[in-house]
């Protein structure tokens, strides 16, 4: 099946009728068409199945005639519903006139878009609008492959929302807004939100998402990357879940960057620096190439713009075969003619071979504009489980870096620290051994890191409660161990810096 064989994308509801969106929102809330309401109606297994684009369990759970069951069949399952039943629940004539609903037959009504309840971080009842059959994005969740199709919320969307620093800001930019989920989150803590997208249909759907969720309207602009942003405009927060897929050509707008290799992600990161206000954050999801004969960390370091701290975390690596298969399945190519599937697969591998790419990494990139003479640059691999949301963890990471930059070793030893919350010590060694082979500090929150420490480091961390200076603690440990306190003070600051940088110790100001 080629794109040409797809039927045209249907018209969207009017985005300039906020009064209809408000009435529709009121009706949805009245019927408990919310994340909590769906979970109660469907049960956890059927609710989870919806997130995988599996509708059979939800169809079985909505065979009744309550208002909530009617709305689930209409907006989530895209089933035609008798006009009389819809009229009992929604302002049907206004929704028909504005385009939220359409007449399917003489006495049946269908939805024109997918409307999916989404619980905001503060308990808000939000609604994410997307094209029919496209509410769940990625790895087979796409119902059609039109160039302009707009997806709903997928794992990448929620990951970016979870890692974003949520401090009050004057101006935020959602670059490549899609269905508007990042703009919706930003509206909670930004005075002004600008949302851009190359796809005008995405901007239209973002307006619908914001209106139906009761959020302020955003400044919507059409264009690629930073093109819609004026030269004199800067922001306190920039977020983007860009079309980062590295593919041979830009077949699908919602995922394929259309530039060679990982050039789109590189360009996005490099151009973000000059768009940030001092102290502002830019946060992206990205793919990057692992090129034969090149250190992937060096590749990413070269992307970081001047005047920015950076924290780049590689969460996953796939070989080129796995990567090609993932995105061929995403587009439904595996369901086509076997020869065509093989040809597409070959095209992906030809592209990677030409660029000497052996694998593709996925992860998070966070920039912070800084006035520091020597910016901090951390590029690491962390494929282990983390605890979302991580916005506060990421903000605190950069705050701790500032503290370390501002304090030399002497000042560090004069400072006070406390052990971070929910850090535990583990002793690792053979069963029955008198002494452990090594000591490990482990976080049970945030990044959930683990790091080896020596006896001094473990003892130091255990005593840190903010009341004594680091130097006095080391002097006490030296006396206890019978060591020279001057030598201990000289060799321990490096370990303290590592524990602070990784979040095991928190400076007490």
């Amino acid at each position: 099946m080629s794109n040409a064989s797809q039927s045209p994308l249907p018209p969207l509801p009017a985005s300039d009728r906020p009064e209809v969106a408000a009435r529709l929102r009121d009706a949805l809330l009245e019927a408990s068409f919310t994340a909590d309401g769906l979970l109660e109606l469907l049960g956890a297994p059927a609710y989870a199945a919806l997130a995988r684009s599996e509708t059979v369990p939800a169809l079985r759970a909505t065979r009744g005639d309550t208002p909530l069951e009617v709305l689930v069949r209409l907006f989530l399952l895209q089933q035609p519903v008798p006009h009389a039943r819809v009229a009992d629940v929604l302002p049907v004539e206004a929704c028909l006139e504005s385009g939220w609903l359409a007449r399917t037959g003489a006495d049946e009504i269908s939805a024109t878009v997918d409307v999916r309840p989404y619980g905001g971080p503060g308990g808000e009842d939000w609604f994410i609008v997307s094209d029919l059959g496209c509410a769940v994005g990625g790895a087979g969740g796409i119902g059609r492959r039109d160039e302009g199709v707009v997806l709903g919320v997928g794992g990448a969307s929620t990951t970016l929302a979870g890692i974003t620093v949520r401090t009050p800001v004057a101006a935020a930019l959602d670059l490549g807004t899609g269905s508007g989920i990042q703009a919706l989150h930003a509206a909670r803590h930004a005075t002004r939100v600008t949302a851009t997208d190359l796809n005008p249909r995405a901007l239209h759907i973002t307006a619908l998402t914001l209106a139906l969720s009761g959020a302020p309207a955003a400044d919507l602009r059409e264009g690629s990357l930073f093109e819609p942003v004026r030269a004199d405009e800067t922001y306190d927060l920039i977020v983007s879940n860009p079309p980062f897929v590295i593919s041979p050509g830009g077949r699908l707008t919602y995922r394929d960057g259309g530039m060679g290799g990982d050039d789109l992600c590189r360009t996005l990161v490099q151009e973000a620096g000059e768009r940030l206000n001092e102290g502002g954050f830019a946060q992206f999801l990205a793919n990057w190439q692992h090129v034969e004969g090149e250190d992937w960390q060096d590749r990413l370091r070269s992307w970081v713009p001047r005047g920015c701290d950076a924290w780049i975390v590689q969460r996953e690596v796939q070989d080129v075969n796995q990567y090609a298969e993932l995105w061929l399945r995403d587009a439904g190519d595996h369901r086509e003619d076997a020869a065509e599937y093989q040809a597409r697969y070959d095209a992906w591998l030809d592209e990677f071979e030409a660029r000497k790419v052996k694998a593709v990494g996925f992860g998070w990139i966070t920039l912070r504009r800084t006035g520091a003479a020597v910016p901090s640059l951390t590029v690491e691999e962390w494929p282990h489980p983390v605890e979302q949301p991580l916005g506060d963890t990421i903000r605190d990471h950069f705050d701790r870096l500032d503290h370390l930059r501002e304090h030399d070793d002497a000042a560090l030893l004069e400072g006070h620290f406390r052990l971070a919350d929910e850090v535990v010590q583990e002793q690792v060694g053979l069963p029955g051994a008198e002494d452990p082979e090594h000591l490990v500090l482990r976080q049970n929150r945030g990044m959930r890191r683990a790091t080896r420490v020596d006896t001094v480091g473990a003892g130091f961390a255990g005593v840190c409660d903010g009341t004594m200076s680091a130097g006095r603690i080391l002097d006490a440990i030296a006396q206890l161990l019978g060591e020279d306190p001057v030598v201990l003070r000289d060799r321990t600051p490096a370990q303290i810096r590592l524990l602070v940088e990784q979040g095991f110790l928190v400076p007490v100001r």
Side-chain angles (χ1 to χ4, degrees), residues 47-65:
Y47 188 69
L50 274 180
R52 303 190 299 269
S53 289
E54 295 290 349
T55 59
V56 172
L59 284 167
R60 292 174 61 84
T62 55
R63 290 178 287 194
D65 212 25

Side-chain angles (χ1 to χ4, degrees), residues 40-106:
E40 183 176 351
L41 170 68
L42 302 177
Y47 188 69
L50 274 180
R52 303 190 299 269
S53 289
E54 295 290 349
T55 59
V56 172
L59 284 167
R60 292 174 61 84
T62 55
R63 290 178 287 194
D65 212 25
T66 66
L68 181 53
E69 287 170 299
V70 168
L71 292 175
V72 171
R73 290 199 299 272
L74 187 67
F75 284 117
L76 294 189
L77 306 178
Q78 280 93 61
Q79 301 293 306
V81 177
H83 183 286
R85 289 301 301 122
V86 179
D88 289 340
V89 183
L90 300 177
V92 65
E93 296 305 324
C95 289
L96 285 167
E97 180 183 349
S98 188
W100 289 95
L101 303 174
R103 298 185 190 277
T104 304

Side-chain angles (χ1 to χ4, degrees), residues 277-349:
N277 293 323
E278 186 73 20
F281 286 91
Q283 297 185 267
F284 315 106
L285 301 184
N287 273 169
W288 44 79
Q289 298 173 149
H290 285 228
V291 179
E292 185 177 344
E294 177 185 84
D295 187 312
W296 68 270
Q297 293 178 316
D298 289 342
R299 183 181 190 86
L300 289 173
R301 290 187 186 98
S302 73
W303 290 10
V304 178
R306 295 181 61 184
C308 287
D309 292 326
W311 185 15
I312 302 174
V313 182
Q314 180 167 270
R315 295 287 291 156
E316 183 181 2
V317 181
Q318 291 182 312
D319 66 49
V320 293
N321 296 331
Q322 292 173 309
Y323 188 81
E325 290 162 14
L326 171 69
W327 295 110
L328 287 167
R329 286 184 183 337
D330 169 77
D333 291 324
H334 61 300
R335 294 189 291 266
E336 294 187 354
D337 176 75
E340 186 169 352
Y341 174 78
Q342 181 176 339
R344 290 194 186 280
Y345 202 148
D346 273 333
W348 283 69
L349 297 185

Side-chain angles (χ1 to χ4, degrees), residues 66 100 113 218 245 259 279 364 416 446 452 502:
T66 66
W100 289 95
V113 288
V245 176
M259 296 186 184
W364 319 325
H416 294 239
R452 283 191 184 188
Q502 294 191 344

Side-chain angles (χ1 to χ4, degrees), residues 107-418:
D107 62 348
E108 287 188 326
I109 301 294
S110 294
T112 59
V113 288
D114 187 293
V115 175
R116 191 150 301 224
Y118 181 90
E124 301 90 347
D125 289 314
W126 289 341
F127 300 96
I128 309 301
V129 181
S130 64
D131 275 313
L132 294 173
C134 300
V136 181
I142 311 307
R144 57 189 302 140
R145 292 178 293 153
D146 304 77
E147 182 178 341
V149 74
V150 178
L151 277 58
V153 176
S157 304
T158 55
T159 294
L160 179 59
I163 68 172
T164 300
V165 175
R166 300 293 177 193
T167 53
V169 296
L173 171 65
D174 175 14
L175 194 151
T177 187
S179 61
I181 180 61
Q182 309 305 329
L184 185 55
H185 276 278
R188 296 182 71 247
H189 61 102
T191 303
R192 175 172 58 88
V193 177
T194 301
T196 72
D197 206 288
L198 181 64
N199 180 4
R201 189 175 181 87
L203 297 175
H204 191 136
I205 283 183
T206 291
L208 298 175
T209 289
L210 294 172
L212 195 58
S213 298
D219 178 5
L220 303 177
R221 304 183 191 178
E222 182 180 345
S224 176
L225 299 179
F226 288 101
E227 288 176 1
V229 179
R230 296 193 302 272
D232 60 344
E233 288 183 299
T234 54
Y235 298 87
D236 306 298
L237 175 67
I238 300 172
V239 293
S240 183
N241 176 19
F244 54 67
V245 176
I246 300 170
S247 62
R251 187 160 61 116
L252 300 174
T253 303
Y254 71 83
R255 66 165 210 195
D256 299 328
M259 296 186 184
D262 51 16
D263 283 354
L264 182 135
C265 291
R266 175 186 56 79
T267 301
L268 178 61
V269 173
Q270 289 180 335
E271 294 183 356
E274 63 186 17
R275 300 296 185 175
L276 283 175
N277 293 323
E278 186 73 20
F281 286 91
Q283 297 185 267
F284 315 106
L285 301 184
N287 273 169
W288 44 79
Q289 298 173 149
H290 285 228
V291 179
E292 185 177 344
E294 177 185 84
D295 187 312
W296 68 270
Q297 293 178 316
D298 289 342
R299 183 181 190 86
L300 289 173
R301 290 187 186 98
S302 73
W303 290 10
V304 178
R306 295 181 61 184
C308 287
D309 292 326
W311 185 15
I312 302 174
V313 182
Q314 180 167 270
R315 295 287 291 156
E316 183 181 2
V317 181
Q318 291 182 312
D319 66 49
V320 293
N321 296 331
Q322 292 173 309
Y323 188 81
E325 290 162 14
L326 171 69
W327 295 110
L328 287 167
R329 286 184 183 337
D330 169 77
D333 291 324
H334 61 300
R335 294 189 291 266
E336 294 187 354
D337 176 75
E340 186 169 352
Y341 174 78
Q342 181 176 339
R344 290 194 186 280
Y345 202 148
D346 273 333
W348 283 69
L349 297 185
D350 285 345
E351 180 81 3
F352 287 134
E353 185 176 336
R355 295 178 178 276
K356 299 183 179 180
V357 176
K358 57 184 181 180
V360 177
F362 166 80
W364 319 325
I365 297 177
T366 299
L367 307 177
R368 186 188 62 164
R369 190 75 185 175
T370 180
V374 182
S376 169
L377 178 52
T378 301
V379 182
E380 62 176 324
E381 184 165 19
W382 190 253
H384 310 294
V386 298
E387 182 189 48
Q388 285 274 35
L390 280 167
D392 289 348
T393 298
I394 290 174
R395 180 199 62 209
D396 292 344
H397 167 86
F398 288 96
D399 287 345
R400 292 193 306 272
L401 290 180
D402 284 342
H403 183 87
L404 293 175
R405 255 196 304 241
E406 295 163 2
H407 293 75
D408 60 17
D409 286 355
L412 197 71
L413 293 178
E414 291 299 317
H416 294 239
F417 301 90
R418 67 171 178 83

